[in-house]
Amino acid sequence: RDELKQHVMDSSMSLLEVGAIECGLHNSAEAFEAAVTYTKNLGSLLNVVLSHVEAVQMIDLTLLIRHVSQVLRAVVDSPAISVTFHDTQEHFALLYLWRGAEGFEEVGE
């Protein structure tokens, strides 16, 4: 998150900056914070969805596992110091694995 924020802030009139202005936001910092909030909310939603066996049966598990792998690899490749772990992509990635494993147990696969 910090690297992305730094990149966004360093780029004058970046694509994010242009998009922010088009959406009525004042600058790329507001767009970045909106994107972080959006990502957190989607992570929370997916976590709740995966608590249902039907969702585990229907989801593309290969894609989910690939996403979790990419998130966790990114942490290993460039660890960032975070004050809170809650509501980070890493936190949700581990929850997805846990929820998926619970769903597999219920389905019996």
Side-chain angles (χ1 to χ4, degrees), residues 20-89:
I21 293 168
E22 288 296 318
C23 291
L25 300 172
H26 297 309
N27 54 39
S28 60
E30 282 187 26
F32 179 79
E33 289 307 315
V36 168
T37 300
Y38 180 76
T39 301
K40 285 180 183 180
N41 291 337
L42 282 178
S44 295
L45 181 61
L46 184 56
N47 182 43
V48 170
V49 166
L50 287 173
S51 68
H52 298 280
V53 176
E54 298 84 4
V56 174
Q57 290 172 329
M58 294 173 48
I59 197 162
D60 183 346
L61 290 173
T62 304
L63 187 59
L64 179 64
I65 291 170
R66 184 179 305 139
H67 169 70
V68 169
S69 172
Q70 289 171 343
V71 168
L72 297 178
R73 272 198 193 115
V75 172
V76 171
D77 292 344
S78 58
I81 298 171
S82 177
V83 177
T84 61
F85 179 69
H86 186 69
D87 287 344
T88 62
Q89 276 197 333

